[in-house]
Amino acid sequence: MVTDTAGRRELTLPGIVLGVGMGGFVDGIALHQVLQWHHMLSSTNTDNIGVRYYSPHTVPGLEMNTLWDGLFHVVTWIAVLAGLGLLYSRVTHSRGRVWRSRALWGWGLVGWGLFNLVEGIVDHHVLGIHHVRGGPYQTWWDIGFLVLGALLVAGGLALQRGASPVDLCADASARDHASARGV
């Protein structure tokens, strides 16, 4: 029998990696593409590391920003694939139980929040290569992004703490017992 802590621990890494990838998808699809608030290099005219500026308002600049947005999406896509692979490697017989688990969704929120915190601190503040929404209130948008990340981490940790135990082999154990009894 799997203990409460062991069942949740099995879902920690897959949940965090999936959350990082899904957080990147939300950022890239919603903020980069649909709302067009920023691109990967849209603030390099004021960055802290000296990256050449590619204005997203010119065709060559938009092409370069689109390329870097695409590379960003590749990284988040790999995170989602890795998270799914990690999850699949831990799930052999209890798929429905795992997908309904508060532990998995809680760790997913933690991963999404970690994405926001790392991306927000590194790209928005340290490197300064882009901002959530450039312009007169960009610092407030960047701070809001970090606050959302912290709230996602806190909410995810609270959600996974209240999760029921997940016995990833419960169905296999029941089948083994039934088989041993000749049922």
Side-chain angles (χ1 to χ4, degrees), residues 25-81:
F25 278 168
V26 169
D27 180 86
I29 293 168
L31 302 182
H32 290 224
Q33 295 174 328
V34 175
L35 298 173
Q36 298 181 20
W37 285 2
H38 70 258
H39 298 281
M40 202 62 199
L41 304 175
S42 58
S43 295
T44 51
N45 58 335
T46 59
D47 70 340
N48 299 324
I49 58 173
V51 175
R52 182 177 164 195
Y53 179 59
Y54 300 97
S55 171
H57 305 293
T58 65
V59 172
L62 187 57
E63 287 174 344
M64 185 59 76
N65 274 288
T66 302
L67 170 67
W68 278 93
D69 287 348
L71 294 173
F72 171 75
H73 284 127
V74 167
V75 171
T76 59
W77 182 43
I78 289 171
V80 168
L81 292 177

Side-chain angles (χ1 to χ4, degrees), residues 7-8 11 15 100-108 156 159-160 163-164 166:
R8 283 190 273 164
L11 299 176
R100 290 188 307 266
S101 168
R102 290 174 56 175
L104 177 65
W105 295 105
W107 286 119
L159 185 63
Q160 69 82 27
S164 300
V166 179

Side-chain angles (χ1 to χ4, degrees), residues 57-133:
H57 305 293
T58 65
V59 172
L62 187 57
E63 287 174 344
M64 185 59 76
N65 274 288
T66 302
L67 170 67
W68 278 93
D69 287 348
L71 294 173
F72 171 75
H73 284 127
V74 167
V75 171
T76 59
W77 182 43
I78 289 171
V80 168
L81 292 177
L84 289 174
L86 288 167
L87 184 61
Y88 186 79
S89 72
R90 286 162 167 77
V91 177
T92 55
H93 303 287
S94 304
R95 291 187 178 105
R97 196 170 321 158
V98 168
W99 286 110
R100 290 188 307 266
S101 168
R102 290 174 56 175
L104 177 65
W105 295 105
W107 286 119
L109 289 177
V110 169
W112 184 349
L114 289 174
F115 167 82
N116 276 27
L117 291 172
V118 171
E119 209 265 337
I121 290 170
V122 173
D123 289 341
H124 303 167
H125 293 285
V126 175
L127 301 178
I129 58 175
H130 68 252
H131 300 280
V132 173
R133 186 170 191 172

